[in-house]
Amino acid sequence: MFSRVIAAFAAAVSVATGSLAQTQAPPAVEAFSRHPQIAVPVISPDGRRIAMLSQAGGQQIVSVLSRDGEPPAGANVSDVRVSRLFWASDRMLIIVASVARDNGQWGADDYTTMYALDLERPDRLRDLPGIALGVVPETGDLVIGGRRDGGSGLAAMNPATGLERTIARSDGRYFGYALDASGTPVARLRYNVITSEYGLETRSGEYWTTVQERTEPQLTTSMWGVMAGSPGELVFTDRPNEGGRRLYSVSLETGEPVRVLFQDDEFDLTTPLFDYYTNTVLGARIDREMPTYVWFDDGMTNIQVSLEAAIPDAYVSIFSWSRDRTQFTVAAYRENRPTEYFLFDATVMSLASLGNAFPELANSVLPQRLSIRYRASDGTSIPAYLTLPDGDGPHPLVVLPHGGPAARDTGGFDYLAHFLASRGYLVLQPNYRGSSGYGVTWEQAGWGEWGRGVMQSDLTDGMNAMVRAGYAAEGRACIVGASYGGYAALAAATFTPDAFQCAAAIAPVTDLWEIARNADLWGGYQSPYSRLLASRLTGTEELPDRDQAAHISPADHADAVQIPVLLIHGREDSVVDDEHSDIMNRALERAGKDVTYIHERELDHWLTGPSMRELVLRNVEAFLAEHLGE
């Protein structure tokens, strides 16, 4: 019976696909640019329903499918960028999303919000005013903070009606709370951005007591909740001076450290894993070469081990679980296939596929995307991912730096890298110095190194290393990037004009003075944001002046460009204003350079919609074919 139910369920979320493995033509652009057919599947508390991101008619939807034969429910979420789903109760699904809105002045603003999908009223979404910190298990109410209306403190809200009651008042100084298993706040953090004073307060009855105080000029500490199985311990993350970002616990009673739960000498903790049924921290995700999961609960550890044995050719992550921890949704990551999702029933030890994120690619033989290291010119070992096209090398090369820059590429399927490799290009994605994920020392090695320092030379050195190794064809390399990666592409074109044969920049930063001089919009020149921005740009706590900013701004050096440049930007970008590409385009045109500028109003920073992703992929593909050859 179970297998028949799962087979029917899997069929409901799959689409008909034909095998592309035996054809010579690469997969169509649309196969890479589409919305995933299935993403972030989460199982209901009773294990009877699964909600997921999906697509229908080119629109992104949230689908709720029943294992009991009930009609499916869903909502169109194409206008927002969904980051996660979770269940407040068997009836209420919560959708966490980011929304970009044109502010009518200088671009778009971005904010995080929540929506409630009531399965008894699936015809509409309720817009919720804050961010969920946990759930009151007895009632299914959400404990919310971070309200858009400016309200402070915590409230318990019924997501079906929107009615709420205050459960913790605040004067606005508090930014983090921990809840116990009943949804009651038991700890909170306060921070003064002017004085840099940090404090931890714990609750006994109606009173709050300060158990920890210190000065923290740049706030790197976060509180995630109560430790699973140890209600007297609070779980924190911080950034020590050496090694990776760590997870540790402190005493709820005294504020004194208890134990280090996770720390790796080489890799940062990515995120703790939170259980909404108990408001506790159960484990942690670490992105090594591929995503890795560490559980602090023996039962979850045993499930992880069983799944890894059942899917030995993939890296396995547990996405969600039922309240009794017998039903699980699971993701399998591979180097040459899109993510596949499964439903695991621990009561009968059954595993069934729910579907593939990109079904048109599921039967294709995609290029391998491998974790490698290469030597920079100063001898430093640089971690990177290399996606190998079919055929014997050397191949034309695309260097694809990530955005951030305090971010990193991780292993598994990458729609852009696999798309480019399917077109015959060798794709190198360096996690250059300045990237996050490899510990504070690695990240800070990029501070003050924009444009002309090691953050940039690590990219050029990667190209040279691929040529020396025989993978890349000499004199046939292009650099392509988005956001900071777009800045890096333009920095290569201006500061090392003879290194690459072309440069494509998507939503790039081009004028650092535009950012530095507007720091007062983010709390003033002495705010934590401004100090962090300054440290990244200059390596000090002083923001660059006009001349310093110009020294590392591609827009101020357009006359040095010797190669074709492609610029792509959109009005809906809420991270990097499209004025940056406008400035760069005007500078290149005045200098008589070969520039193509594509400006689309509906294009946001993340290329959210399939039509916008397809536009970018098609233009990048044509640009590379023209300047590197097929």
Side-chain angles (χ1 to χ4, degrees), residues 168-184:
R169 299 186 182 278
S170 169
D171 59 8
R173 296 178 297 163
Y174 300 95
F175 69 95
Y177 286 84
L179 311 174
D180 65 14
S182 70
T184 302

Side-chain angles (χ1 to χ4, degrees), residues 196-399:
S196 300
E197 294 175 341
Y198 164 97
L200 168 64
E201 299 178 6
T202 61
R203 188 176 189 175
S204 178
E206 295 298 317
Y207 300 98
W208 293 91
T209 302
T210 299
V211 296
Q212 196 181 95
E213 285 185 299
R214 63 174 179 268
T215 299
E216 195 163 323
Q218 290 188 1
L219 188 61
T220 61
T221 302
S222 298
M223 180 170 62
W224 290 89
V226 174
M227 178 69 183
S230 301
E233 295 179 50
L234 298 171
V235 178
F236 286 78
T237 57
D238 70 357
R239 297 293 301 273
N241 293 328
E242 295 182 358
R245 182 168 173 249
R246 66 174 182 166
L247 194 72
Y248 67 99
S249 67
V250 304
S251 167
L252 178 64
E253 181 179 356
T254 66
E256 293 297 318
V258 176
R259 51 180 165 157
V260 174
L261 300 168
F262 174 83
Q263 185 174 18
D264 191 288
D265 290 338
E266 185 176 358
F267 295 98
D268 280 328
L269 164 84
T270 303
T271 184
L273 302 173
F274 191 77
D275 182 16
Y276 281 99
Y277 303 126
T278 58
N279 297 315
T280 59
V281 176
L282 274 179
R285 169 174 165 160
I286 306 95
D287 288 323
R288 295 188 171 101
E289 286 80 7
M290 293 284 282
T292 305
Y293 283 68
V294 174
W295 298 98
F296 309 134
D297 177 271
D298 290 341
M300 296 297 285
T301 299
N302 293 336
I303 294 294
Q304 182 77 38
V305 170
S306 298
L307 289 169
E308 290 172 355
I311 317 174
D313 65 334
Y315 289 81
V316 179
S317 67
I318 300 174
F319 253 69
S320 71
W321 46 91
S322 59
R323 184 183 288 108
D324 62 5
R325 297 189 194 170
T326 63
Q327 311 293 313
F328 301 83
T329 57
V330 178
Y333 303 103
R334 299 176 176 90
E335 292 93 344
N336 62 345
R337 288 176 59 188
T339 305
E340 187 176 6
Y341 296 95
F342 296 86
L343 178 63
F344 176 62
D345 186 336
T347 62
V348 292
M349 299 300 286
S350 295
L351 184 71
S353 176
L354 294 176
N356 194 286
F358 294 85
E360 293 88 350
L361 301 175
N363 296 318
S364 298
V365 180
L366 292 177
Q368 288 282 343
R369 184 166 175 263
L370 306 175
S371 174
I372 67 164
R373 283 182 174 267
Y374 62 86
R375 291 286 176 187
S377 54
D378 62 2
T380 302
S381 176
I382 309 297
Y385 291 90
L386 185 68
T387 310
L388 298 165
D390 290 338
D392 297 328
H395 306 279
L397 171 67
V398 174
V399 176

Side-chain angles (χ1 to χ4, degrees), residues 399-409 430-436 443 445-459 479-492 495 504-510 512 515 533 536-537 552 554 569 573 575-576 580 605:
V399 176
L400 189 62
H402 62 72
R408 60 158 293 186
D409 284 309
N431 281 320
Y432 47 82
R433 277 169 281 189
S435 302
S436 62
E443 184 175 329
W447 289 10
E449 299 290 322
W450 284 52
R452 298 177 184 270
V454 296
M455 287 173 70
Q456 197 68 29
S457 63
D458 284 350
L459 307 178
I479 183 167
V480 178
S483 194
Y484 173 84
Y487 166 86
L490 296 174
F495 305 137
I506 305 157
V509 173
T510 70
L512 275 303
I515 295 176
L533 175 63
R536 297 194 186 284
L537 293 180
I552 54 174
H569 218 135
D573 195 321
V575 178
V576 179
H580 280 269
H605 197 71

Side-chain angles (χ1 to χ4, degrees), residues 55 86 121 166 180 240 258 267 388 395 424 440 466 472 491 540 546 558 561 570 595-596 601 626 630:
Q55 70 86 34
F86 70 92
R121 291 285 309 276
T166 300
D180 65 14
V258 176
F267 295 98
L388 298 165
H395 306 279
V440 65
M466 295 304 102
T540 72
R546 184 66 183 89
V561 173
V595 58
T596 301
R601 180 176 182 84
E626 179 181 358
E630 294 288 350

